[in-house]
Amino acid sequence: MCGIVGYIGPREAYPIIIEGLKRLEYRGYDSAGIALFDGTDLKVCKTKGKVVDLENKLHTDITSTGNIGIGHTRWATHGVPNDVNSHPHYSNSGDLVIIHNGIIENYESLRKELISRGYHFDSDTDTEVLVNLIEDVKNKENVKLGQAVQIALNQVVGAYAIAVFDKTRPKEIVIARLGSPLAIGVGKDEFFIASDASPFLEYTKDAIYLEDEEMAIIRLNKDIKVRKIKDDSSVVPYVQTLKMNLDQIEKGGFEHFMLKEIYEQPKAIIDTYRGRLNRQEAIIKMGSVEDNMKKFLNADRIIIVACGTSWHAGLVAEYIFEDLARIPVEVEYASEFRYRNPIITEKDVVIAISQSGETADTLAAIKLAKSKGAFVFGVCNVVGSSIARETDAGAYTHAGPEIGVASTKAFTTQITVLSLIALRLARAKGTISSSDFRHHLLELEMIPKKVEKVLEANEHIKHIAEIYKDVHNFLYLGRGYNFPVALEGALKLKEISYIHAEGYPAAEMKHGPIALIDENMPIVVIATKKGHYEKVVSNIQEIKSRKGKIIGIVTEGDVDVRELADHVIEVPETLESLSPLLTTIPLQLLSYHIAVLLGKNVDQPRNLAKSVTVE
Ligand code: M6R
């Protein structure tokens, strides 16, 4: 859950690494560091704080020359965020430096052993143990860096993406991965190393993604050598040409990535169904679903595993699959599923949902399901991610890079893909009539325009945010398809504004949360026309009689809720099953504006990281 960048080639390494780290800050941002080799000396600079703090420190600490270097932005696992625990870490001799993303689980025993042999440690990190283990192997076995890394990694239990530099062999960087992503950008006479492709996109579109248990030796002006960590067999690297460009990952005039990504949703949804939804011919074409149709149709049930926002999309999918395709669905937190000895059979289909495709708990749940013989289908955004590779088949959401830590377009595009799958299965099973199917396709095609309409309420929502920004608690209520949206709205508010918020099924309110309601409590109620409208209006009346402040998310032209609520935000009418694609938008904007008004760091909220590659 850290960001790694490296460079080796004819250019000045420093600006490439610093800019690359800024793009990877979504992966962790509690400290940052860099190691540069200027042809004679190896210089390391690191600091608690963000990449910009590193830049400021660098200007006073070291000269930023050299055309080989590695850099790191950290999300702490072992050891508090401070200067000493920041990466890179030196080995005791000062010859080696390492940067690391992941966790070395057996670091305590390795550390004790190394101490008994005279090694000392300055930091509390598992990473410093690893670099000294590599040094120990290198000296004991009298081998070069590549071999030393390989032997050391075979003694390690855990997950890692690492880059190691040895100043006694200053024309190479050794990298390795197990469980954390690592890409190599291949330029002309130069190589870039990064946790994802964004740091090198403006230099090259040619990339190699290391697979788990692979390592690479990257030498100046030489070919890359890729080999297996376990058995030393060599691997022919597959160089792929990336289609994304830099514009897609920059802010494009918006103040924050989150706002940009909220506004990108109409396009992202179109990109998700493009080439899959054909309304004229009334068909849905998804290669990976067609290829595995029998597995889906013969499934006893679908089990959805995911975390956070992706889990909320899974909950929406539960309603859609059961409603349209009449397939029983269970939705599991991946982190619980993996540890509770679940009953899984070969007749289960497991759908894993993940924006990043790197979430450790989801990945572990997939491995567990596969080991029990289930067919595992992935819904991911990041192409070539670990989950995309680990699953038996899958469908990408095509949302484009999501940089803001708070997921927005990931949620709506996941629901779009899952709706397409459910509709396709419903058609194949005959659980939806041909006219209903056509109607769904038409409505889905109209969703992007309707999202644009909701976005027009931005200023109105900002005004509501100004009224409620200082409260300490929020309640979100919804029913049916919009219950998961209530959960998602509450999560968005919590994670970026640090205001406590809870999502509840509206009818559950009377079983407890109603006790919280007084004149200081704002309650966001999703009360669209389709879907238990009268029941939700009754819930609103119950809130009103306890003086709660009501923010209603209503269908255009609504009268009943408008009479009761303190504020309403309108969304266009659509099918109930597609309504989460609209009702979630005002909740994203509300939490965004509250967080901005409170002066919070919207794109990089405290304690969080974009991809959670630790359990
Ligand atoms: O990359 P994933 O979709 O697997 O990530 C899962 C969660 O970590 C993620 O949705 C998290 O909850 C977001 N910060 C929510 O906005």
Side-chain angles (χ1 to χ4, degrees):
M1 179 106 141
C2 306
I4 284 180
V5 186
Y7 177 78
I8 181 164
R11 300 175 206 252
E12 186 98 337
Y14 168 72
I16 294 168
I17 294 174
I18 285 292
E19 285 312 308
L21 288 178
K22 285 181 188 165
R23 283 181 206 154
L24 291 183
E25 266 193 318
Y26 72 89
R27 302 182 62 84
Y29 38 82
D30 59 44
S31 47
I34 192 167
L36 293 165
F37 186 72
D38 65 7
T40 324
D41 273 339
L42 175 62
K43 302 267 178 59
V44 169
C45 180
K46 51 191 195 170
T47 184
K48 176 175 184 240
K50 295 187 183 281
V51 177
V52 66
D53 300 308
L54 175 69
E55 255 183 312
N56 293 337
K57 191 169 180 190
L58 264 160
H59 289 144
T60 52
D61 266 22
I62 64 172
T63 48
S64 52
T65 55
N67 53 15
I68 179 163
I70 53 180
H72 189 263
T73 175
R74 179 171 187 245
W75 185 83
T77 56
H78 292 74
V80 294
N82 62 25
D83 291 2
V84 179
N85 288 334
S86 310
H87 301 208
H89 287 283
Y90 274 117
S91 63
N92 276 188
S93 71
D95 285 348
L96 309 191
V97 276
I98 191 171
I99 51 177
H100 168 216
N101 169 24
I103 293 178
I104 307 300
E105 287 170 15
N106 59 337
Y107 86 108
E108 266 305 344
S109 58
L110 294 169
R111 183 180 163 110
K112 275 188 194 134
E113 202 182 316
L114 288 166
I115 288 173
S116 74
R117 292 221 297 282
Y119 283 84
H120 65 267
F121 295 94
D122 297 327
S123 75
D124 307 317
T125 64
D126 49 349
T127 309
E128 197 187 5
V129 173
L130 181 56
V131 71
N132 281 300
L133 179 66
I134 295 168
E135 176 155 287
D136 192 52
V137 171
K138 187 175 163 242
N139 294 340
K140 259 194 336 211
E141 309 281 333
N142 194 20
V143 288
K144 293 181 190 157
L145 181 65
Q147 259 181 299
V149 167
Q150 184 177 19
I151 297 168
L153 289 180
N154 277 304
Q155 298 173 34
V156 153
V157 179
Y160 50 77
I162 56 167
V164 196
F165 176 78
D166 177 354
K167 75 173 187 197
T168 67
R169 292 180 60 79
K171 291 192 175 166
E172 69 180 27
I173 299 174
V174 176
I175 64 171
R177 81 158 267 180
L178 175 62
S180 301
L182 211 44
I184 305 166
V186 184
K188 191 176 172 322
D189 302 326
E190 62 184 350
F191 298 105
F192 306 80
I193 299 156
S195 301
D196 71 33
S198 59
F200 56 74
L201 272 182
E202 76 243 61
Y203 303 103
T204 179
K205 294 262 164 56
D206 290 338
I208 298 168
Y209 286 92
L210 276 198
E211 296 288 340
D212 269 348
E213 302 191 347
E214 282 180 2
M215 58 180 288
I217 301 171
I218 303 170
R219 293 202 183 99
L220 193 60
N221 300 325
K222 295 260 169 54
D223 285 344
I224 296 174
K225 297 263 179 286
V226 180
R227 60 164 92 129
K228 293 272 179 210
I229 297 168
K230 280 240 154 66
D231 61 14
D232 200 28
S233 54
S234 61
V235 174
V236 181
Y238 167 62
V239 183
Q240 56 178 282
T241 305
L242 302 173
K243 293 209 180 77
M244 50 169 109
N245 49 49
L246 206 54
D247 284 0
Q248 288 179 281
I249 52 169
E250 286 181 342
K251 281 191 207 144
F254 285 92
E255 206 184 327
H256 298 98
F257 281 112
M258 182 180 176
L259 190 62
K260 173 182 175 244
E261 287 155 10
I262 291 173
Y263 272 82
E264 277 174 350
Q265 287 175 108
K267 179 178 178 299
I269 293 170
I270 293 173
D271 289 345
T272 304
Y273 66 57
R274 178 179 289 124
R276 293 167 166 169
L277 185 165
N278 183 333
R279 189 169 52 81
Q280 279 71 30
E281 293 179 28
I283 49 169
I284 287 172
K285 261 199 314 197
M286 297 179 81
S288 53
V289 177
E290 299 307 324
D291 293 349
N292 297 289
M293 187 57 87
K294 271 200 184 138
K295 294 204 172 80
F296 278 108
L297 296 183
N298 294 335
D300 282 345
R301 59 181 177 161
I302 291 175
I303 304 172
I304 296 179
V305 292
C307 302
T309 289
S310 298
W311 184 76
H312 296 154
L315 287 180
V316 175
E318 178 179 22
Y319 286 86
I320 305 177
F321 276 98
E322 294 198 341
D323 203 4
L324 301 181
R326 308 302 296 150
I327 303 174
V329 178
E330 286 166 29
V331 188
E332 303 266 0
Y333 282 118
S335 53
E336 287 298 312
F337 180 78
R338 61 182 288 197
Y339 283 121
R340 67 163 175 74
N341 196 13
I343 299 163
I344 315 164
T345 75
E346 287 166 11
K347 291 204 74 188
D348 290 325
V349 166
V350 172
I351 300 183
I353 310 173
S354 173
Q355 186 287 130
S356 62
E358 301 294 344
T359 301
D361 285 321
T362 310
L363 205 47
I366 291 167
K367 288 181 180 158
L368 175 67
K370 278 175 79 176
S371 74
K372 308 266 184 191
F375 167 68
V376 186
F377 190 91
V379 174
C380 291
N381 188 33
V382 177
V383 175
S385 57
S386 303
I387 292 177
R389 287 199 304 255
E390 190 65 38
T391 41
D392 296 309
Y396 286 117
T397 50
H398 300 309
E402 192 183 68
I403 308 293
V405 165
S407 262
T408 50
K409 60 178 179 170
F411 182 67
T412 43
T413 54
Q414 286 164 349
I415 294 173
T416 304
V417 163
L418 292 159
S419 300
L420 289 170
I421 299 172
L423 281 165
R424 177 65 192 98
L425 297 182
R427 200 70 200 109
K429 281 188 74 179
T431 51
I432 190 169
S433 69
S434 121
S435 63
D436 269 359
F437 183 72
R438 280 173 188 274
H439 189 197
H440 272 80
L441 299 192
L442 175 68
E443 285 291 337
L444 188 50
E445 239 182 19
M446 281 168 19
I447 287 290
K449 280 266 167 278
K450 293 183 179 180
V451 173
E452 277 170 13
K453 194 83 199 300
V454 184
L455 290 169
E456 286 171 14
N458 184 40
E459 281 305 313
H460 171 52
I461 296 169
K462 188 172 172 189
H463 174 66
I464 298 174
E466 274 157 7
I467 298 171
Y468 294 104
K469 69 179 173 39
D470 295 316
V471 304
H472 297 298
N473 297 290
F474 257 88
L475 205 56
Y476 286 73
L477 303 177
R479 288 186 89 143
Y481 280 95
N482 282 299
F483 158 53
V485 175
L487 296 179
E488 175 60 7
L491 175 63
K492 285 292 85 88
L493 187 69
K494 275 184 273 213
E495 67 180 330
I496 60 169
S497 70
Y498 320 145
I499 293 174
H500 173 245
E502 282 194 64
Y504 257 92
E508 275 292 304
M509 185 183 66
K510 57 186 170 298
H511 298 287
I514 198 163
L516 294 167
I517 296 175
D518 62 15
E519 66 280 10
N520 299 316
M521 173 71 104
I523 297 130
V524 179
V525 190
I526 303 148
T528 44
K529 273 273 184 258
K530 299 211 175 95
H532 321 286
Y533 179 70
E534 285 76 22
K535 306 260 178 227
V536 178
V537 172
S538 304
N539 296 139
I540 291 175
Q541 258 148 355
E542 288 157 13
I543 299 167
K544 183 88 183 159
S545 53
R546 283 153 186 91
K547 298 194 171 58
K549 299 279 181 278
I550 299 156
I551 304 166
I553 312 299
V554 299
T555 309
E556 272 170 359
D558 178 280
V559 180
D560 300 350
V561 178
R562 189 176 285 275
E563 270 179 17
L564 297 167
D566 297 271
H567 317 271
V568 292
I569 304 166
E570 291 191 337
V571 299
E573 188 160 358
T574 187
L575 292 172
E576 192 190 353
S577 64
L578 299 176
S579 63
L581 294 169
L582 303 180
T583 52
T584 195
I585 311 290
L587 309 192
Q588 295 169 348
L589 286 170
L590 183 65
S591 49
Y592 170 78
H593 286 301
I594 290 178
V596 171
L597 289 164
L598 292 175
K600 305 297 183 210
N601 187 338
V602 171
D603 285 332
Q604 295 173 349
R606 70 184 181 201
N607 304 338
L608 290 173
K610 185 65 184 164
S611 59
V612 186
T613 55
V614 293
E615 66 170 284

